Amino acid sequence: MKLFLDTADINEIAELNETGLVDGITTNPSLIAKSGRNILETIKKICEIVSGPVSAEVTATDYAGMIKEGKRLAEIASNVTVKIPLTKDGLKACSALSKSKISVNVTLCFSTAQALLAAKAGASFISPFIGRLDDIGSNGMNLISEIVEVYSNYSFSTEILVASVRGVQHVVDAALLGADVATVPPNIMLKMYKHPLTDKGLEDFLTDWKSTGQSIL
Ligand code: G3P
């Protein structure tokens, strides 16, 4: 399973990229606004740090506008993936950009029917927002399960990018279902390292080691 970071914070990206475990980045207009920085400069900088796919989202809502913005974003670097909302115009733009070899991440997916259309439109990634479904009392992981089944029935190559992740268990459940990617906020990636028994076990080992008076070096 690939692990992407869902942030536009360059410092956090640079720091976590050092782990060697970051396979890509996703951003959206809200995350760019939160960063307080210019979108074009931010995406350029992120692409210099991370070699995997970096999603940058269009803000136009009409077909022609999305094509123009998508092409502009794709010019920034070869690893930019253009993020496009799951609307009628959005999927039309997805088809056109995908045909011209621009990678597209279709975002704001909340149903299996939408995911099916995105795959048919040639999307490189589909982004189902599981946390926002859970927030309204629906079950986000059921959506992932259905998309995994449908894409496998027809061997679609569109990668399932689990988004709106709220905790470590979301990542684990998505991995159990065979989702291709999970995009996680930096704090959730850091939580994935943690287990109280790891901390306790290490503490005990170090206490016992100290009692031997030995040194490896
Ligand atoms: O990048 C899209 C998605 O991950 C947003 O998550 O937490 O705003 O629902 P959230």
Side-chain angles (χ1 to χ4, degrees), residues 36-147:
R37 302 177 64 144
N38 172 275
I39 181 169
L40 302 177
E41 287 166 16
T42 303
I43 297 298
K44 186 168 185 287
K45 190 91 195 121
I46 296 172
C47 289
E48 284 165 9
I49 301 169
V50 176
S51 55
V54 175
S55 287
E57 188 159 340
V58 299
T59 52
T61 54
D62 63 302
Y63 170 75
M66 284 193 251
I67 294 287
K68 263 194 216 153
E69 287 186 5
K71 286 186 173 165
R72 177 69 191 88
L73 292 169
E75 274 169 14
I76 297 173
S78 58
N79 55 330
V80 166
T81 288
V82 176
K83 211 170 172 189
I84 290 193
L86 208 156
T87 59
K88 197 156 162 265
D89 274 31
L91 290 191
K92 194 175 157 194
C94 171
S95 286
L97 291 171
S98 300
K99 278 187 188 120
S100 60
K101 303 281 171 245
I102 290 174
S103 164
V104 176
N105 173 1
V106 175
T107 188
L108 290 167
C109 170
F110 293 95
S111 79
T112 309
Q114 289 181 317
L116 175 59
L117 294 180
K120 287 176 68 64
S124 297
F125 299 96
I126 181 69
S127 290
F129 278 28
I130 58 169
R132 292 193 193 183
L133 281 170
D134 289 356
D135 289 348
I136 61 158
S138 196
N139 186 325
M141 211 49 72
N142 285 349
L143 174 60
I144 302 303
S145 169
E146 285 193 10
I147 300 173

